[in-house]
Each structure stands twice: as C-alpha cells, then as structure tokens.
C-alpha cells in the first residue's frame, strides 16, 4: 500500500477493494444481528456499513433505490400492495411511495437499530417517516422470512432489499423463501431482489437465478443491471421474477 | 485503514479508491513520458499502471477495448483506414483487426516503452504483433497530436485511447486537436475518444463534450457508457463524434 493522505474507510471484497476518503466516524453499534457503522465521507455524504460492507452513501444511493423500486412498480399495471423486506435505511420505501397508486407498504426490517441509525444519519432516506400525512407504511420489525410465510395471494410487488447471502442475509436466498414469495404474490405479482455483482461473483448470480427460476419458471425470471459506484465492481444486478408480467413491456408513466 | 491481509495495489482517485490483491511487482520503469508499472494480481491477471493510474487488468480489459473499437467500426459502412492514438497496450488494435473490412491501421503511441512492456507482460493484447500474416498495422512511435495535423480527409475511424487529461494526455483533449481529427476524417468518418467517468468527474465529461461538439456539431456528438471495474466508479464514458453518421442506426454484422 502506498502512503495515503487523510483517513479512508475501505471495504475489501474478495481480491478487490473500494474506499472513500472520510472525515470521521459518526456511529457504531453492535446490534443483535450485525455491526452497524456510519462515517462522514469527504465528498459523498454519510456512508453506512453493515458487518464491514458498504451499504450506501448519501450521494450515490439514488441509483440502487430507484432501480430496485421503479422497474417493478412501472412494470405492474396496478401496484397497490407492496412488501419491502430489508432496506432498513428507508430508501427503497421512499421510492415506492412516489407511486401514488400504492395504497399499502409493509416494510419488514429485522434490525430496528438500522432504522434508528438511518433516522438520525440518513435523513434524506427517512423523510417519509417524519411525514405525518404519509399513512401508507406499516413498519414491522420482524424476520421477513417468517413474515412472508403467513401471506398468501396478497402483494402486488415484493422487494427484497437484503444484505449479501451470508449470515443473517442467507435465509433470503433459499428455495423455500422464493416459493413463499411466489405464494404471497397475487395475480400479476412481481418480485425484485438484489442479486450481487457480475464481475467477481458471476457464480453467485447463476446460483441465485437458478433458485428463483425454480420458483417462478425460466420465462418469468429476468436479470437487470445498474451502475453503482458504492459496490464492488461498480455494477450491481437485480433479479425480476413475476407471475406472468415481463418488464420488457413498458407501461406509459402517465397511463 | 483496516489491517488488510496480503499485499494490495491501490489507486486513490480524488476522494475514492480502488484496489486489487497482488502477488508481486513484475516491472517498473520511468520512461521519457511516464512511470510504467506492471504487477501480477491474485485473480485478475497482470495489471498495468501509468503514473499510478490503473490502465487495465488482463481479466477485465475486454470491456474497454471492445467498447472503444466495435461501436464505431460497426457504425461505419466501410471502415477501411483506422487510426489508433495511444493504447500502447495493443488491446484496441487487437479489436480493430477483428474487422476484416479494415485494410490499414496506423497505431500511433508516443511511448515505445509501453509497447515493449505490453509485448512482454500482456501477451493476449499484443498477439497480433507476433502474427506474421498480419500486415495491416503500421506501428508509429510519435506524438499523435502532431501526427494527425498532417493528415487530411484520410481516415474512416479514429480511436483516441488516451490517458487522463493531465500531463502528457492533455494535448489529446484540446479544441485544436479535435479540429485536426475532424479534418483527418474522410466522408462518413467517425472518432471515438475515452472521456472519463460520470460519477465523480461529470464536470470533465461536460467540458470535453463541449470541445468535441465545437468541432463536430451537437447533433453529431454522442456519449456512451461501459461497465469497467478497473476504473474509478466502475462506469466509463466514450464520446462518439462523426461527419454525419449516428451510432443509433445499427448495421447488421453480416451485411
């Protein structure tokens, strides 16, 4: 390593590494589930880490949150009931709420401490929590994997804004879970999950796709990518699966 | 910085950083123009640095080289004469040569030492230099900026595979240079230049675009992106400018 000016926060990822210049640590807590850290970076706003992995920076988070939410919500003809699993930072729910057609959002995050930290340090992502006129969201602090088992034929869109498929995140990548997601969707239902990056973890994408295809069928399962500088390789993948609707047919935003 | 296992080669870029695990240094030389370094990485093959900036890894270089070469070459109806400025690693010329319609490639690299190092440490990029049946390329070791001034109405495609717009790379980003490129192109001529990344250097893209538009006109200037994990932010931009042809009209590969 060269000598570097200033302080840096880095994420080693396999045989690669990403880093940001930082000003100082704002927060650190070991919750029941994971280690939560927040730093102020020099130019990218605050950054959150869970178990040492970069989750989001204030400057760049819009790409991930817009891409996980709007692709399925604009693909569905009438997305009224939405379930968000994970995404305790609040950004995915913020994007979902931009769709006026949405009547109910169940926001299931296992770790309340992530929500608390986000309320304080990521105010742009959690502004909807402070909006007294926003009554569409139920914040539910429980295990999304157990929660979804009880729901049948209920949601129009399910968004799986999980951490990586290790430790607590792993249950959100099992065959059983995807089967339960499919059962929780009603007619025309769509699920989108974050599914890792293609350059260093292509095998993971294949592995996850295989499981999702098993539940939804090959012709109902699609992959799409987004450019996200916060994550390893700078390219991230999402898997779109549905009970029949394809994202390749675009609905007019004004319809 | 956390304690990291193993050795790393890193590139600090503004307030961000990229890194690869490395095995060892293979080569270092201060040429007349720049510092050239080659390392063997743990999983991405060899990596070349010029003045401390990552230029390419063997595993990932295909994206950059395919994207700089094939977009203009497939957009042009009959690209017979091609000029490559920079790109001493040989990768851009390798891709150009895949087009059988190409009759002549002038490969103008100011720094012979980069070509020498590439011949030794990046054999996949320089294989065409060892191919005795490949007689289409003229390797010319001179200043591309001066070279192009003498050419009028000659090339079908010009590829500007430059380093960043600092130090020796800067002359390849001036108004005068772009004017000279335009004059060097014949009817239907196309130029593509690498033009930095959009997340942390958006202002640079605007600045460069403005200059290229000045020479080619707004409606003849287009921007396109590619996902390249080797470079800051993981997303890189290319500018396509032409004497009338647009990349939005795709030519059939078999035509």
């Amino acid at each position: 390593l060269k000598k570097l000016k200033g302080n840096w926060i880095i994420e080693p990822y396999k045989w690669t590494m990403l880093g940001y210049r930082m000003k100082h640590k704002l927060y650190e807590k070991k919750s029941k589930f994971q280690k939560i850290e927040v730093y102020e970076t020099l130019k990218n706003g605050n950054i959150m880490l869970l178990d040492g992995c970069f989750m989001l920076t204030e400057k760049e988070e819009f790409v991930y949150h817009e891409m996980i939410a709007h692709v399925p919500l604009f693909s569905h003809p009438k997305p009224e009931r939405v379930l968000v699993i994970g995404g305790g930072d609040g950004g995915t729910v913020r994007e979902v709420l931009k769709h006026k057609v949405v009547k109910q959002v169940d926001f299931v995050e296992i770790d309340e401490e992530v929500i608390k930290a986000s309320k304080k340090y990521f105010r742009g992502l959690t502004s909807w929590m402070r909006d007294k006129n926003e009554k569409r969201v139920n914040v539910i602090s429980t295990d999304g994997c157990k929660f979804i088992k009880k729901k049948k034929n209920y949601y129009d869109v399910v968004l799986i804004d999980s951490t990586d498929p290790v430790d607590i995140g792993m249950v959100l990548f099992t065959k059983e879970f995807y089967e339960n997601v499919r059962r929780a969707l009603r007619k025309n239902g769509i699920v989108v999950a974050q599914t890792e990056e293609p350059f260093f973890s292509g095998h993971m994408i294949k592995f996850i796709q295989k499981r999702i295809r098993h539940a939804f069928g090959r012709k109902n399962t699609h992959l799409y990518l987004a450019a996200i500088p916060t994550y390893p390789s700078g390219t991230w993948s999402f898997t779109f699966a549905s009970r029949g609707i394809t994202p390749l047919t675009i609905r007019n935003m004004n319809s």
Side-chain angles (χ1 to χ4, degrees), chain A:
Chain A
L1 282 179
K2 288 182 202 179
K3 278 174 195 166
L4 288 167
K5 270 188 241 173
N7 293 315
W8 291 81
I9 174 75
I10 61 164
E11 178 190 349
Y13 176 82
K14 301 188 174 188
W15 52 89
T16 71
M17 172 204 297
L18 280 177
Y20 291 95
R21 277 283 295 274
M22 66 140 164
K23 290 185 183 171
H24 47 261
K25 186 182 277 191
L26 293 169
Y27 177 85
E28 179 172 335
K29 179 154 193 166
K30 241 186 129 18
S31 78
K32 235 165 72 186
F33 304 99
Q34 54 205 340
K35 184 177 168 192
I36 306 164
E37 294 165 271
V38 181
Y39 297 85
E40 186 180 351
T41 69
L42 194 65
K43 297 273 189 180
N44 289 62
N46 294 343
I47 186 168
M48 181 190 285
L49 282 77
L50 295 179
D51 285 339
C53 296
F54 294 171
M55 289 293 117
L56 61 105
T57 70
E58 286 184 296
K59 190 158 178 200
E60 297 156 1
E61 56 85 10
F62 73 96
V63 185
Y64 178 91
H65 293 124
E66 291 181 3
M67 290 299 284
I68 197 172
H70 299 316
V71 175
L73 282 159
F74 281 127
S75 298
H76 194 288
K78 203 176 177 189
E80 292 184 332
R81 294 182 192 153
V82 178
L83 169 64
V84 175
I85 296 179
D89 53 70
T92 298
V93 172
R94 179 193 64 198
E95 296 304 318
V96 169
L97 293 172
K98 289 180 180 170
H99 294 256
K100 294 214 172 74
V101 65
V102 169
K103 289 184 177 164
Q104 176 189 343
V105 183
D106 290 346
F107 174 33
V108 177
E109 163 61 54
I110 200 168
D111 194 343
E112 280 182 289
E113 297 296 337
V114 175
I115 298 178
K116 276 188 202 165
S118 302
K119 274 184 179 166
K120 186 156 182 193
Y121 297 106
F122 295 91
R123 293 180 62 84
L125 287 87
T126 52
S127 53
W128 58 269
M129 294 184 195
R130 294 185 297 279
D131 178 357
K132 277 172 191 144
N133 296 317
E134 185 51 82
K135 298 180 197 304
R136 292 178 288 171
V137 189
N138 308 309
V139 182
I140 302 156
S141 185
T142 187
D143 179 342
C145 197
K146 287 181 188 155
F147 179 87
I148 206 162
K149 275 187 201 168
K150 295 174 201 152
K151 298 285 180 175
K152 307 285 175 208
N153 199 32
Y154 190 80
Y155 294 108
D156 297 309
V157 173
V158 173
L159 304 179
I160 305 169
D161 187 357
S162 64
T163 50
D164 298 331
V166 287
D167 304 332
I168 64 157
M170 196 59 220
V171 293
L172 301 178
F173 291 87
T174 63
K175 272 187 189 173
E176 193 201 351
F177 174 68
Y178 295 128
E179 279 296 339
N180 290 332
V181 170
R182 193 176 55 76
R183 286 189 200 109
L185 289 170
R186 56 181 171 175
K187 184 166 172 276
N188 288 331
I190 297 169
V191 56
V192 166
Q194 76 81 2
T195 45
E196 305 295 301
E197 62 73 40
F199 282 96
F200 316 125
S201 310
H203 62 286
M204 277 303 306
I205 295 182
K206 279 189 192 166
F207 171 82
I208 301 167
Q209 284 269 314
K210 208 174 156 186
R211 289 182 165 189
I212 296 180
R213 280 178 178 175
H214 191 266
F216 287 87
R218 176 178 290 250
K219 80 173 179 52
N220 293 322
T221 307
H222 305 268
L223 189 84
Y224 62 97
L225 301 173
I228 307 179
T230 320
Y231 299 154
S233 91
T235 298
W236 210 254
S237 84
F238 298 90
T239 295
F240 178 111
S242 75
R243 300 189 65 161
I245 282 186
T246 160
L248 305 175
T249 314
I250 297 167
R251 179 166 66 98
N252 188 314
M253 278 184 67
N254 302 314
S255 70

